[in-house]
Amino acid sequence: NSKYQSNIRLMTTLTPFRKQFGAYLAGLWEGDGSIWIPKNYHAPSGKQYTPHFSITFHDKDYPLVLTLQKLIGGTIRNKSDNHAYVLTLTSINGLQNIISIMNGYLRTPKIHRFNKLIKWINTNCSNTNPIACYDVNISPILKDAWLSGFIEADGSFDVKVREISEDGKGKNRVEARLRIEQRKIDPETGLSYEAVLESITLALKVKLKTSYHNEGIDYYSIEVTSPVKLTELIKYLDEYPLYSSKLLNYLDFKTCVNMMLSGEHLSKEGRDIIKTIKAGMNSKRTYYNWDHLDKISNY
């Protein structure tokens, strides 16, 4: 289908966004984004080099990629071997626009790369007013959409159901979990992600954990399983929603949490309903509905 071909440049007339779109994009980029900055402004051939601002998405989130492309411009590249799409901005106007949307909302060590992009624009684009560089945003983590964007990139929702075996061993148990994982150290700056992840754990009243995998990389991880604590997360995500396919997993997860809070999971009938919901989540999902993308242009 030609309308789904990648590498189509679709620059649109960009209108001012509410600040939550900037915070959401900041969290999304800090979780799954990158910036490449050229060492030289021109190639020996005279061709102009410009920085590349990119965000990577799972291929099942292609409708979201298309929607964001319509809002902020850029090109889409299909990395089929990695089951991913990459949205990339390279035009000066596109880079200036994404800076104006996100500037002031970043919370991780990747802000240093973002500020290098600003300095490149300030140095090489003399026909524009200088853009200010900000320090990390330390406002309360649950008071803007940054965390929802970060969960899009580095979070997951899952549900577990355990029941007493036929021989009477074990016990009936239902667990709903949010998990967030991010490497401990930013590879470019050598700075730690601890401060921003601690702010998440403090807001959700859990402890920051560590793990070690992916060829010896240290990670921080956050897990929230208490239904009472998850109500705070649900309150947040209902106000600052997800827009990827994780929204559908979140809505199933939310249904299960509400069943646990009401005690419905204590009956076999309730657990059977939860098992049916679980069977359609994450990698087992076959049904996708993207009606919610209509709302993002007003976010």
Side-chain angles (χ1 to χ4, degrees):
N1 190 323
S2 61
K3 85 172 186 176
Y4 289 144
Q5 289 177 351
S6 58
N7 296 317
I8 296 175
R9 182 172 295 277
L10 180 57
M11 293 301 293
T12 62
T13 302
L14 297 166
T15 56
F17 293 99
R18 294 186 334 186
K19 74 171 189 177
Q20 298 312 333
F21 186 65
Y24 171 83
L25 280 182
L28 183 62
W29 178 79
E30 290 192 273
D32 266 342
S34 63
I35 291 175
W36 175 80
I37 299 176
K39 293 182 179 179
N40 301 304
Y41 189 63
H42 287 99
S45 64
K47 178 183 176 182
Q48 180 183 355
Y49 288 136
T50 60
H52 294 186
F53 173 98
S54 301
I55 304 175
T56 300
F57 302 80
H58 194 284
D59 58 7
K60 62 187 173 186
D61 291 321
Y62 191 47
L64 173 60
V65 184
L66 286 173
T67 299
L68 291 176
Q69 185 193 44
K70 290 176 183 177
L71 294 173
I72 64 175
T75 59
I76 299 172
R77 180 163 58 99
N78 182 6
K79 298 178 69 175
S80 55
D81 291 346
N82 297 321
H83 303 286
Y85 285 98
V86 183
L87 178 62
T88 301
L89 305 179
T90 58
S91 73
I92 297 299
N93 286 342
L95 293 170
Q96 290 171 327
N97 182 65
I98 199 67
I99 289 170
S100 70
I101 292 171
M102 289 171 45
N103 203 12
Y105 297 114
L106 283 78
R107 295 176 180 267
T108 77
K110 288 175 80 169
I111 193 173
H112 295 281
R113 193 66 174 171
F114 187 81
N115 283 342
K116 284 184 179 180
L117 171 62
I118 293 175
K119 291 173 183 176
W120 190 95
I121 294 289
N122 287 342
T123 300
N124 293 285
C125 303
S126 57
N127 61 333
T128 62
N129 293 325
I131 304 169
C133 291
Y134 293 100
D135 292 331
V136 291
N137 179 11
I138 57 171
S139 65
I141 199 83
L142 300 183
K143 294 300 183 181
D144 70 20
W146 183 91
L147 181 57
S148 66
F150 196 65
I151 288 173
E152 297 273 39
D154 292 330
S156 62
F157 303 94
D158 62 80
V159 176
K160 297 178 181 178
V161 181
R162 299 185 181 92
E163 294 186 291
I164 298 173
S165 62
E166 292 183 1
D167 60 4
K169 294 182 179 179
K171 61 180 180 178
N172 296 323
R173 177 176 171 81
V174 176
E175 179 183 277
R177 178 180 69 165
L178 163 74
R179 190 168 193 272
I180 300 173
E181 185 175 76
Q182 175 59 262
R183 65 171 68 211
K184 279 189 173 184
I185 303 297
D186 177 58
E188 180 176 338
T189 63
L191 297 174
S192 174
Y193 278 82
E194 182 176 7
V196 65
L197 295 178
E198 280 282 10
S199 69
I200 299 172
T201 61
L202 288 171
L204 298 177
K205 299 178 176 63
V206 294
K207 292 184 178 180
L208 186 60
K209 299 180 179 179
T210 59
S211 60
Y212 183 79
H213 55 90
N214 284 359
E215 299 181 357
I217 299 175
D218 286 318
Y219 289 83
Y220 286 119
S221 65
I222 297 170
E223 294 187 0
V224 189
T225 58
S226 162
V228 174
K229 293 176 182 178
L230 287 171
T231 57
E232 189 69 23
L233 173 72
I234 289 170
K235 179 181 176 182
Y236 170 80
L237 288 176
D238 285 350
E239 183 173 357
Y240 304 107
L242 303 169
Y243 288 98
S244 75
S245 59
K246 283 183 184 175
L247 171 66
L248 307 179
N249 292 320
Y250 162 70
L251 293 174
D252 286 344
F253 162 91
K254 177 183 172 181
T255 297
C256 295
V257 172
N258 287 335
M259 290 180 68
M260 294 168 68
L261 289 168
S262 67
E264 294 174 72
H265 68 299
L266 299 175
S267 70
K268 185 179 186 307
E269 293 77 10
R271 289 192 298 277
D272 286 344
I273 292 172
I274 292 173
K275 283 192 284 186
T276 299
I277 293 171
K278 169 183 166 62
M281 290 178 64
N282 297 313
S283 62
K284 298 176 182 177
R285 179 172 297 282
T286 57
Y287 171 75
Y288 293 88
N289 182 308
W290 295 97
D291 291 348
H292 59 277
L293 290 180
D294 294 339
K295 301 175 183 177
I296 197 170
S297 61
N298 296 319
Y299 194 36

